[in-house]
Amino acid sequence: MTVSEVTAATKDARKPTFWYGLPVGYVSLDLHPPAERLMEIVNQLRGLPEGEREEADRALRLYAGIVSLLNTNRVQQCALGVHPDDSGGFTTSVFTVSTLPTSGNSAKLVVAGLAGSAADGRDDGMRPLELPCGLGFLSEKRSPAPRSSRQLEASEAAPSHIWQGTVAVAAPSAPELIVLQMVTPDLDSADAYRDILLGIARTLTFADPARAATDDEDQEPEALTGAAAAMRNDFG
């Protein structure tokens, strides 16, 4: 697997404070679509036949609602993943990155406490992680899939359960947690998606890769360091 890009966590006016590698097979939603682009889409919808216009309008409203919900929950990125499976079909997943504020300057204490709970067996669904960027923890669970308020035409149209993996790391310069989350309805592929989630977590860095590349420009091309080396190790 190869890395598609080094992704800055923030897409708004704030200066990015952390970066990570996103593997191929994932397409990011635009969580901050420009108003001009939205107006362009609206104008295109007005030119569609009535039936198609109604369907497209519902899709646009759904997208707008999802974007609004993600922004409300401090989601910095949402990426949809589609990968081939062993049966010749496809398996899907959703990867998100969000920030979770903590009271005072206790982010590292929160991570240490949760990692400690995992280490001594008080929480079977968690385990501590030693990542290149610092101490973190992994939490995973299987839970019932959320249901739409609309009646499904067939009971098998939607999955009954999902696998959810979460990695949290304390930001070094802000009282907040960096939360990486992977969700898939394909329970049989949970191990593979856990590996992808952990691979992304190992590339997480609080040092600007562009600055690191400038500092290392005198090194041999193969002498990768920092986030670049982590991405090569984890994503091939």
Side-chain angles (χ1 to χ4, degrees):
M1 186 178 296
T2 57
V3 173
S4 59
E5 62 177 338
V6 176
T7 305
T10 53
K11 299 296 185 182
D12 55 14
R14 293 188 302 161
K15 182 179 179 181
T17 57
F18 59 93
W19 294 259
Y20 50 90
L22 189 64
V24 296
Y26 285 90
V27 177
S28 297
L29 289 178
D30 187 354
L31 300 184
H32 303 280
E36 296 80 4
R37 177 55 180 161
L38 292 179
M39 288 305 302
E40 179 183 344
I41 295 176
V42 170
N43 291 332
Q44 291 175 351
L45 293 183
R46 290 172 177 170
L48 294 174
E50 182 175 353
E52 295 180 14
R53 184 169 65 248
E54 291 178 356
E55 290 296 325
D57 181 67
R58 279 195 290 269
L60 180 61
R61 291 178 183 274
L62 176 61
Y63 169 66
I66 292 174
V67 168
S68 177
L69 178 62
L70 293 175
N71 286 325
T72 299
N73 287 278
R74 298 173 63 91
V75 173
Q76 308 293 336
Q77 182 174 55
C78 177
L80 308 180
V82 179
H83 299 92
D85 59 20
D86 295 335
S87 63
F90 292 90
T91 180
T92 60
S93 64
V94 177
F95 171 72
T96 59
V97 179
S98 58
T99 55
L100 181 64
T102 61
S103 59
N105 296 309
S106 60
K108 291 185 178 181
L109 294 179
V110 170
V111 170
L114 292 173
S117 298
D120 62 18
R122 282 179 285 166
D123 192 328
D124 293 336
M126 296 173 54
R127 62 185 173 95
L129 292 176
E130 287 288 347
L131 298 171
C133 65
L135 178 66
F137 69 86
L138 168 68
S139 171
E140 55 182 305
K141 63 180 180 179
R142 297 188 181 193
S143 56
R147 291 294 180 180
S148 170
S149 58
R150 295 186 178 184
Q151 183 69 31
L152 294 176
E153 295 181 0
S155 59
E156 65 273 13
S160 59
H161 287 76
I162 59 172
W163 174 86
Q164 175 181 305
T166 303
V167 171
V169 181
S173 58
E176 62 184 13
L177 300 177
I178 311 303
V179 181
L180 315 178
Q181 189 171 86
M182 184 77 71
V183 177
T184 180
D186 187 355
L187 301 183
D188 292 336
S189 298
D191 290 345
Y193 280 111
R194 182 192 307 110
D195 290 342
I196 294 176
L197 175 62
L198 292 175
I200 296 174
R202 293 186 185 102
T203 70
L204 181 65
T205 177
F206 298 102
D208 188 344
R211 177 174 296 180
T214 301
D215 295 340
D216 297 337
E217 63 182 1
D218 294 333
Q219 296 185 17
E220 293 296 325
E222 277 69 29
L224 298 179
T225 61
M231 291 176 205
R232 170 168 289 185
N233 292 337
D234 284 302
F235 296 128

